[in-house]
Amino acid sequence: MLSPARAGLGWGLLGVVAFSFTVPFTRVAVAGLSPLFIGAGRAVVAALLAAVALTATGQRLPTGAQWARLAVVAGGVVAGFPLLTSFALTTASAAHSAVVIALLPAATAVMAVVRGKERPPTLFWGTVVAGVVAALAFASLSGGGFGPPSWSDVLLFGAVATAAVGYAEGGLLARELGSWQTVSWALVLSAPVMITLAVVSAVQRPPAGTATQWAAFGYLAVVSMFLGFFAWYRGLAIGPMARVSQVQLVQPVLGIGWAALLLRERLTWPTVLGGVAVVLCAAVAVRVRLDRG
């Protein structure tokens, strides 16, 4: 029988593995489906599943203040990250995107520091800045020469920022509502807006993807947007939370690997070195914050 610590790590790793397919499968889906439909439609499907789960288990309704905080979570992880990455991946490769998104653990740590009014040491801020510089340098150089980041990179940086806000607020709110309940209520709250966006997208550009593209969309809706959070938040709930949260650092490495194996994307030295640099900076930033806490 697994110890609680190993069980927590196991569930956390399962969630990270589930999330690691998000970028490559989004890349597959946007080849035939509208990025707006993918970003909004996956949330609609997940919201239906969330409503069933909340009703079947008789969860209590959040309070007024909690609804406002759920709106922040929804804006970050239900709307912001899926929509921004969907549009970015219409032009950016999955491996390239995984390197930029590798900033997410450090960005989440920053938002947790700000939200929790912590005062981490200078090393924390130094490694965060180094990670941002590394990601910007990678984005600038990956086009074959030094230049400003592309529009897709701007979208990816925006996705990282919105997800970090949603993760940090969701982590705090999960202590009150429960782990999977938090993301489920956020999905339900955002459903009217996401349904509207999905319908508008379908009218403007009727969905007509291949079987593979629809399968990728199904994964994004059922696993990336819903079941993955069950495993991830269960791992955090079992804990220790500080230790389990560090498992997220392997997600960009897995994402780059899936891009090469599943999409046959060629891994260049800038991609490998950029990924290593960003992940190392994020790892140090997260570790410094956890040691401080």
Side-chain angles (χ1 to χ4, degrees):
M1 184 176 180
L2 291 177
S3 65
R6 289 188 176 183
L9 284 172
W11 281 106
L13 181 59
L14 180 61
V16 166
V17 171
F19 293 146
S20 70
F21 287 96
T22 299
V23 169
F25 282 171
T26 300
R27 179 65 174 163
V28 171
V30 297
L33 301 172
S34 162
L36 179 59
F37 179 81
I38 294 170
R42 64 190 269 194
V44 172
V45 174
L48 291 174
L49 297 175
V52 171
L54 290 169
T55 302
T57 56
Q59 299 297 316
R60 63 179 178 85
L61 289 171
T63 64
Q66 289 172 336
W67 282 117
R69 295 168 64 191
L70 282 168
V72 174
V73 177
V77 302
V78 177
F81 187 84
L83 287 170
L84 291 172
T85 52
S86 294
F87 279 99
L89 282 159
T90 58
T91 55
S93 70
H96 177 99
S97 301
V99 173
V100 178
I101 294 174
L103 280 172
L104 183 54
T108 302
V110 170
M111 293 311 304
V113 164
V114 173
R115 187 67 174 82
K117 298 180 180 180
E118 302 174 17
R119 293 184 177 180
T122 303
L123 178 59
F124 170 83
W125 297 111
T127 53
V128 169
V129 171
V132 173
V133 171
L136 285 172
F138 166 77
S140 298
L141 292 171
S142 59
F146 187 79
S150 65
W151 178 241
S152 62
D153 289 317
V154 174
L155 294 176
L156 290 171
F157 283 119
V160 168
T162 57
V165 173
Y167 276 164
E169 191 61 44
L172 294 173
L173 196 53
R175 299 173 183 174
E176 304 170 20
L177 296 177
S179 54
W180 69 267
Q181 293 91 332
T182 297
V183 69
S184 293
W185 284 119
L187 285 164
V188 170
L189 177 62
S190 64
V193 174
M194 305 311 279
I195 290 174
T196 301
L197 291 176
V199 170
V200 169
S201 174
V203 170
Q204 293 179 340
R205 177 182 164 184
T210 64
T212 300
Q213 290 159 357
W214 277 112
F217 172 82
Y219 185 94
L220 295 173
V222 177
V223 180
S224 296
M225 199 83 251
F226 190 61
L227 295 180
F229 281 100
F230 277 52
W232 175 241
Y233 281 133
R234 179 172 174 78
L236 292 177
I238 295 174
M241 186 178 296
R243 185 181 179 192
V244 173
S245 64
Q246 295 178 77
V247 177
Q248 189 184 19
L249 292 166
V250 306
Q251 184 173 330
V253 179
L254 291 174
I256 293 172
W258 300 141
L261 292 173
L262 301 177
L263 305 181
R264 298 293 188 267
E265 291 186 2
R266 187 170 62 90
L267 293 185
T268 62
W269 280 112
T271 299
V272 174
L273 294 177
V276 170
V278 176
V279 169
L280 284 178
C281 290
V284 174
V286 172
R287 168 55 64 185
V288 169
R289 175 181 173 263
L290 296 181
D291 289 344
R292 183 76 170 189

